[in-house]
Amino acid sequence: MTISQDLQFLENTIELADQAVKEGNHPFGAVLVDKNGAVLAVGKNSFTVDRGPGHAETNLARDAAKRFDVDTLRGSTLYTSVEPCSMCSGTIYWAEIGAVVFGMTERRLGELTGEDPENPTQDLECRVIFESGRRSVEVRGPFPELEDKIAAQHLAFWKA
């Protein structure tokens, strides 16, 4: 994928995060794209139903692992506005998804959410988790050109 394609799919995740908030959930969305650039699936945060484990990336990865074969998954990219946490990274890895693209780091999210009990953000880069596995997962991010937009979305939610 090109940088402009990455940015467009990341914009889609920001829109999904806005939808999640309108549904009463936390501002996170994810998009799974195949090697040809076709959207295979989308995911949103589901805090109101699943509480802490209802992360957009985990929801999407679990759904994708049920619906698609390994070759499709390994050739696919999961886009998300914020770097996947350790739980999401593990789920992405086990779902056999081949690449991850994120807009803003988990560390920056932690700075924005502070001590909010609904988002006990860990300071653990997804690259560390993926690099500890037996298969590679390509990681692209963060994208500074989107950080202000993503940060504003989270500031509006977590400080409300």
Side-chain angles (χ1 to χ4, degrees):
M1 298 285 167
T2 66
I3 290 177
S4 64
Q5 289 172 309
D6 282 348
L7 290 170
Q8 181 54 53
F9 289 123
L10 287 171
E11 289 280 356
N12 293 349
T13 70
I14 295 168
E15 293 167 9
L16 286 165
D18 284 337
Q19 290 174 18
V21 170
K22 288 177 184 169
E23 295 166 2
N25 295 298
H26 296 170
F28 299 95
V31 176
L32 186 66
V33 177
D34 74 10
K35 64 183 176 184
N36 299 314
V39 173
L40 296 176
V42 299
K44 293 181 279 188
N45 181 276
S46 58
F47 184 82
T48 56
V49 174
D50 300 320
R51 308 300 296 168
H55 293 197
E57 303 93 331
T58 291
N59 292 340
L60 176 57
R62 291 188 71 203
D63 177 58
K66 294 174 192 173
R67 295 175 47 206
F68 303 105
D69 62 73
V70 171
D71 288 337
T72 299
L73 292 165
R74 287 190 177 177
S76 297
T77 301
L78 187 146
Y79 289 87
T80 182
S81 56
V82 178
E83 180 179 14
C85 72
S86 59
M87 175 186 68
C88 292
S89 297
T91 307
I92 291 165
Y93 178 84
W94 284 102
E96 304 274 355
I97 294 169
V100 170
V101 178
F102 65 89
M104 184 176 77
T105 66
E106 176 87 350
R107 176 173 286 161
R108 179 72 173 120
L109 177 65
E111 293 168 0
L112 298 171
T113 61
E115 299 299 319
D116 192 301
E118 288 188 8
N119 196 47
T121 303
Q122 297 172 319
D123 187 7
L124 179 59
E125 293 182 18
C126 69
R127 285 177 172 88
V128 172
I129 294 166
F130 294 133
E131 288 169 0
S132 70
R134 293 183 179 198
R135 69 172 184 86
S136 65
V137 176
E138 179 186 356
V139 178
R140 298 190 300 276
F143 283 78
E145 52 268 69
L146 290 177
E147 184 171 346
D148 288 345
K149 185 174 187 176
I150 297 165
Q153 183 180 50
H154 285 274
L155 280 171
F157 180 83
W158 298 104
K159 304 300 181 190

